[in-house]
Structures are given as structure tokens and as C-alpha cells.
Amino acid sequence: MSDYERIRLVILGGAGVGKSCIVKRFLTNSYTDKYRSTVEDLYNREYDLGTVTLKVDILDTAGDMQFPAMRRLSIATAHAFLLVYASTSAASFESIKRCFEEIREQRADFQEIPIVVAGNKFDLATSHREVRIEDVSEWVYCELPKLRVKVLECSAKDDYNIKEIFRSFVTLSRILPQGQDDGSGTSGLKRRSSAYVSTSKGQRRTQSPNDSTVSGRDRGSSSSTSTSADTNSSLSEPRSKPRSRSLIRRSSRKAKQQIRDAQSNSDECIVS
């Protein structure tokens, strides 16, 4: 039975920015202009990556602050965050700033959590833009350095950059693509969890050091093992060399003694 990993993605942002529209466009490729206030909706999806099944829970939260306990719980249990604002609303950008402050207050590991900041309603930005992506990037990369974060704009209505949002989480979560990507963001992915590492270590032990498929990390470990062996060998040589020289000296002395004895016997024979 294949191993599996479950990841919870929590979507935060103000009311009416299109959080639910992004999720529905991604999951069902559908869109509606009708607005319905969200309390909390949970979606799930599975991806078969070969050696592991990736189970993704997508939690769509309320855009207002009527349920603070639910909000705190969702932040505490998240593995990744999608912060959504509307490019046509400066107030929505201020809202995701407050969302991030909540994350920073509740999660000591906030710098290690994958975060995507998405500006929705890009289809209206040409005529009604209030938030420039340069301002968002400046806030993220200048005021909040050392984060695992990506900034982009999208449109749930036009299906622009929607898949790229979720593909970004794959990269930020260090589920790295190996080989070609089939466009779904799940082709040839390599999991970097502790379970995967333990399995891959067992596989490395069965590989030959000369195997051409060994990765750079494996080659590094092989070279370090070889260096260690050479070091041990060089350390053992000084103990063996004196032993060899002493044997040579004893053999030499014995041979010389035999020669002297033979000469002495020869002289004795001549005298007699």
C-alpha cells in the first residue's frame, strides 16, 4: 500500500475578493458572478505521485471576523496559506496584512510555512486598479524577508494564473518536480518529507557507488565516505610501517649472523 501525505491549505482574505471563486475555478473549472458569503468550506483532492499519494485539504474561510475561534484554529492547523486580495481594492490589501500579522503571532514557524499572495480580479485591473503588484512585492520582500512566499496576480473569471497559484505551493512546499511537467503540477514530483528521506536512504544503500543515476547529494556522500576511508587507511599506516621495518631489521641481523657463522665454520675447517 502506498504511503500518503496530507497537507492543509488555508485561504485567508477579506470579504468579496474571490477566494471561493479561485477554489471552484481550480477544482471544477467553473465560475459564477453570484456572491455568497462563506462561513467555512472544506474541499479535498488527491494526487497520485507514484510512491506517495498527496492528499490536499483546501479550507476556504470567512472573509469577515465574525468567527475568531474558527479563524485561530484554521491558522494553527495550516501547512500553507493562500492570502487573497483584490487588485481593485486597497482595503483588501490591508486586510491580508492583518491576516499575516495573525499568522506571525500564532505560528512561531511562520518563516517556514509556504505562502502565496494572490491579487485576484486582474481582469478588472486595467480600469479599476487600486493595488499595484510592485507595492505588494515591496511589502513582502522588503518588509517581510526570509519567507517562503510567492506573489502573483490572477483572475478566477478569466482562469488566469489559477493553476499557477497551486503549482507554486508544490514548489514552496519542496515537493520538487523531477523531469517534465505535464501541466498539472504533479508530474514526476519528489516528496521531501521525513518518510521519503528514510525510504530513499534505504535505496541509496543498495546502489552501487558507480551508478550513473546517483544524485549530487549521493555523490557527495559517496565522496565523503571514500575520504573517510582513505583517512582511516592513512592513519593506520604509521602503526604498520614500524612493524614491517622491525621485521626487516631482524631478518637482516639473522642473515648476517648466519654469514658470520658460516665464515667461522669455514675458518675452523681450514685450520684443522
Side-chain angles (χ1 to χ4, degrees):
M1 184 176 179
S2 62
D3 191 14
Y4 72 91
E5 179 173 324
R6 182 176 292 275
I7 295 176
R8 170 164 288 201
L9 168 62
V10 173
I11 305 177
L12 300 173
V17 297
K19 300 186 298 296
S20 300
C21 292
I22 289 174
V23 174
K24 291 179 180 178
R25 173 63 79 178
F26 176 67
L27 294 178
T28 64
N29 196 27
S30 61
Y31 175 81
T32 178
D33 287 324
K34 295 181 180 180
Y35 175 72
R36 181 181 64 87
S37 179
T38 301
V39 176
E40 189 172 90
D41 292 334
L42 180 63
Y43 307 87
N44 59 75
R45 190 167 182 175
E46 293 187 2
Y47 298 92
D48 185 6
L49 308 184
T51 58
V52 64
T53 299
L54 183 65
K55 297 186 177 182
V56 182
D57 294 332
I58 302 175
L59 183 62
D60 184 12
T61 63
D64 50 38
M65 300 297 293
Q66 295 183 13
F67 309 99
M70 294 173 62
R71 193 180 187 88
R72 287 195 297 269
L73 180 61
S74 65
I75 291 175
T77 58
H79 298 105
F81 292 100
L82 172 59
L83 305 183
V84 182
Y85 69 95
S87 300
T88 56
S89 171
S92 68
F93 179 44
E94 295 301 320
S95 179
I96 66 165
K97 288 184 178 181
R98 291 191 293 271
C99 291
F100 178 79
E101 289 304 320
E102 292 183 58
I103 296 171
R104 180 154 56 180
E105 290 174 3
Q106 296 187 44
R107 299 291 295 269
D109 60 341
F110 71 95
Q111 290 182 322
E112 298 299 320
I113 302 175
I115 300 174
V116 172
V117 180
N120 192 30
K121 302 188 180 182
F122 180 73
D123 53 290
L124 300 175
T126 53
S127 57
H128 298 85
R129 178 182 292 276
E130 292 186 9
V131 183
R132 299 188 311 152
I133 192 169
E134 292 83 5
D135 295 334
V136 180
S137 299
E138 183 179 359
W139 169 67
V140 169
Y141 297 116
C142 296
E143 298 185 29
L144 309 172
K146 300 181 180 179
L147 294 179
R148 289 167 59 183
V149 61
K150 182 171 182 178
V151 177
L152 52 78
E153 292 186 316
C154 65
S155 171
K157 182 177 181 179
D158 292 347
D159 193 14
Y160 171 67
N161 265 351
I162 299 301
K163 290 182 179 179
E164 183 60 29
I165 290 175
F166 294 90
R167 190 178 291 114
S168 297
F169 283 111
V170 172
T171 304
L172 293 172
S173 301
R174 293 174 182 168
I175 304 175
L176 303 178
Q178 301 290 326
Q180 296 182 347
D181 189 353
D182 62 359
S184 64
T186 61
S187 175
L189 301 181
K190 181 178 179 181
R191 189 175 63 150
R192 295 291 296 276
S193 69
S194 58
Y196 180 85
V197 172
S198 62
T199 304
S200 61
K201 284 182 178 179
Q203 294 173 347
R204 289 174 190 169
R205 284 194 290 267
T206 63
Q207 288 181 335
S208 169
N210 296 325
D211 192 345
S212 60
T213 61
V214 176
S215 65
R217 181 178 296 179
D218 295 336
R219 286 196 296 269
S221 62
S222 299
S223 62
S224 62
T225 305
S226 175
T227 304
S228 176
D230 294 340
T231 304
N232 294 336
S233 175
S234 62
L235 291 174
S236 65
E237 287 178 358
R239 292 194 295 269
S240 63
K241 285 182 178 179
R243 206 161 39 239
S244 300
R245 286 197 292 270
S246 64
L247 288 173
I248 293 173
R249 285 196 293 269
R250 286 198 298 270
S251 299
S252 177
R253 286 197 296 269
K254 185 175 180 181
K256 290 179 180 179
Q257 184 64 39
Q258 290 176 348
I259 292 173
R260 285 196 294 270
D261 292 344
Q263 290 175 347
S264 176
N265 293 335
S266 174
D267 293 339
E268 289 175 359
C269 291
I270 294 172
V271 171
S272 62

